[in-house]
Amino acid sequence: MSAQKLESGRNSPLCDTGIVSRTWIVIPLFNEAPIIGSVIKDLLPVFPHIVCVDDGSTDTSAEAARAAGAVVVQHPVNLGQGAALQTGFEYVLQDPEASCVVTFDADGQHRVADAEAMVQRIQSGEAEVVLGSRFLDGRTRLGPMKRIVLRTAALQIRWSTGMPLTDAHNGLRAFNRQVTSNLHLTQNRMAHASELIHVLSTLKPRWTEHPVEIVYTDYSKSKGQSLLNSVNILADLLFR
Amino acid sequence: MLIVVQIVLLVVVVIFSLVLIRGGSNAKHMAIRRIMVLLFAIAAVFSIFFPTILTQLASMVGVGRGTDLMLYAFIVSFLVYMSTTHQRFRQMETTLTKLSRRIALDEAVKPWEAVLAPDERVAGPDDFRFRAKTVSEKK
């Protein structure tokens, strides 16, 4: 039975060698019940190990994620996306076989193929950290205002950390185990993206950017952060 | 009439000082705060009985009236209050995060532990998830 399963089942040579190493997908989840099920279903054939960190959702997100086949770790109260990511990292690190961690957004704006390629670059030993960037190719279509804000944020990051990033606020990232164990995110809310880069700039791992496509569906557009949120990101950073 | 107002003010100042003195975390900070509060209380009591002293002090530092001096002192103390409250709030947030994280991680199902259990060794990864699901449903 088990042998059959291993043969016929989803044993992608990339990430799930079954016994030796595992790649975990970490999805911070907050009130995404309508879409989380399909996001997980898309991921499962490639990445069988998915943990959704439910950040105190008030809808049925946790049930939907569990039904779709993910492990759900539930914050008893809402803490923020940064806290959810850190919880996800700590959960994955408890797994002695975990070798690679990918952060993935719950609203379906990332592509599984991109994540797969990023994990491949980690496992080939090319890099310890692979950060997704929507500005490395022309696939992602962006409004001019959003483009300006994201570019400015990336420029500010480059200026303050010396890391030549093109896209600082991309939720699709891959880390190897060693780097993950050294990430201790303390910014609970949205400033964790900048904090993460600052931590990386002190850890100095071998890192690279990978071109990813952000799929702006009607759903993610309706939920997406407004431009005003960049003010919050800035304030969180200044007054920490 | 004046003596009544003076007594009321005195009571307010004493209560306020007592509230400020209670609580706090770092011993050194607490000591400094207590000294400052004590000085403030003495100054407040004196200004109640000898209001002219405050005005003299104000003209000495060059801010005109005693009430102006009080206003400036108030602004400064308010800013200090804001920053300490902000710090304490952040500390509390960190504590809450750690607590919530611990609860979340303790409650979470861990499929790899099922891998280690000898009687579960025959099952594939999907079965662990299924098993994990039933465990969580029992709760």
Side-chain angles (χ1 to χ4, degrees):
Chain A
M1 173 65 196
S2 70
Q4 220 175 12
K5 238 187 162 69
L6 279 175
E7 274 164 33
S8 62
R10 44 175 91 95
N11 46 347
S12 155
L14 285 183
C15 48
D16 185 31
T17 49
I19 303 133
V20 186
S21 73
R22 269 195 278 264
T23 294
W24 277 91
I25 301 279
V26 172
I27 304 179
L29 178 62
F30 181 63
N31 290 352
E32 304 276 6
I35 197 132
I36 185 65
S38 67
V39 171
I40 291 170
K41 287 219 166 72
D42 286 348
L43 278 163
L44 273 176
V46 185
F47 300 105
H49 303 286
I50 301 175
V51 55
C52 279
V53 184
D54 174 42
D55 194 21
S57 295
T58 49
D59 61 3
T60 55
S61 294
E63 287 76 14
R66 207 172 275 133
V71 173
V72 177
V73 179
Q74 269 181 300
H75 282 171
V77 291
N78 178 252
L79 296 170
Q81 199 182 21
L85 279 177
Q86 183 61 35
T87 301
F89 293 154
E90 287 181 21
Y91 175 82
V92 171
L93 286 170
Q94 288 181 347
D95 179 2
E97 317 289 347
S99 64
C100 186
V101 183
V102 178
T103 66
F104 204 89
D105 282 359
D107 58 3
Q109 62 173 358
H110 295 318
R111 292 180 64 242
V112 178
D114 288 333
E116 206 176 352
M118 286 164 73
V119 168
Q120 202 165 19
R121 291 181 80 173
I122 295 267
Q123 289 188 333
S124 71
E126 185 193 338
E128 293 165 298
V129 176
V130 180
L131 304 169
S133 170
R134 72 199 91 182
F135 294 115
L136 290 181
D137 60 20
R139 281 184 294 169
T140 304
R141 295 210 181 88
L142 276 166
M145 262 320 276
K146 191 144 190 162
R147 184 178 288 267
I148 290 171
V149 167
L150 286 168
R151 291 299 239 173
T152 313
L155 216 72
Q156 189 266 331
I157 286 284
R158 181 189 291 226
W159 176 72
S160 63
T161 65
M163 286 171 76
L165 282 172
T166 57
D167 186 2
H169 288 81
N170 196 309
L172 188 53
R173 312 176 188 90
F175 310 93
N176 72 0
R177 186 188 179 94
Q178 209 257 322
V179 171
T180 310
S181 64
N182 286 314
L183 296 173
H184 303 288
L185 300 181
T186 59
Q187 295 278 334
N188 280 359
R189 290 174 298 276
M190 288 312 288
H192 68 84
S194 317
E195 189 196 9
L196 187 80
I197 305 300
H198 279 97
V199 172
L200 288 180
S201 73
T202 55
L203 286 177
K204 295 191 178 24
R206 281 177 294 118
W207 67 278
T208 183
E209 276 191 326
H210 186 83
V212 303
E213 181 184 5
I214 304 294
V215 188
Y216 291 108
T217 58
D218 288 339
Y219 177 80
S220 70
K221 267 185 213 155
S222 71
K223 289 213 54 150
Q225 314 171 26
S226 87
L227 282 173
L228 273 175
N229 206 20
S230 51
V231 177
N232 293 335
I233 291 172
L234 207 69
D236 272 358
L237 271 180
L238 288 176
F239 304 108
R240 60 179 152 189
Chain B
M1 189 60 210
L2 184 67
I3 189 75
V4 175
V5 173
Q6 282 175 341
I7 288 170
V8 167
L9 282 173
L10 180 70
V11 168
V12 168
V13 167
V14 167
I15 289 175
F16 180 67
S17 313
L18 282 179
V19 167
L20 256 180
I21 282 176
R22 284 172 64 90
S25 49
N26 188 321
K28 205 167 142 192
H29 285 186
M30 204 155 68
I32 292 170
R33 211 169 61 231
R34 283 175 174 171
I35 290 168
M36 280 173 67
V37 167
L38 204 67
L39 288 177
F40 174 76
I42 291 167
V45 169
F46 264 88
S47 72
I48 290 165
F49 290 103
F50 313 102
T52 48
I53 289 183
L54 203 64
T55 306
Q56 277 165 14
L57 199 70
S59 58
M60 224 165 74
V61 273
V63 290
R65 299 180 304 160
T67 43
D68 291 343
L69 189 67
M70 285 301 281
L71 177 69
Y72 300 142
F74 177 72
I75 289 171
V76 168
S77 58
F78 179 70
L79 289 178
V80 169
Y81 170 77
M82 244 174 71
S83 76
T84 51
T85 307
H86 182 79
Q87 262 171 23
R88 202 175 296 179
F89 185 75
R90 269 211 62 100
Q91 260 173 24
M92 219 163 76
E93 201 182 57
T94 310
T95 313
L96 178 69
T97 303
K98 280 182 182 158
L99 181 65
S100 306
R101 183 166 292 143
R102 170 57 77 83
I103 291 171
L105 291 175
D106 281 357
E107 281 186 340
V109 290
K110 298 172 181 72
W112 56 88
E113 281 177 359
V115 179
L116 298 175
D119 54 332
E120 299 287 341
R121 198 164 283 170
V122 283
D126 293 27
D127 296 348
F128 301 139
R129 202 172 300 116
F130 175 70
R131 182 176 169 272
K133 209 166 106 187
T134 53
V135 166
S136 66
E137 271 167 8
K138 254 183 235 165
K139 273 192 280 190

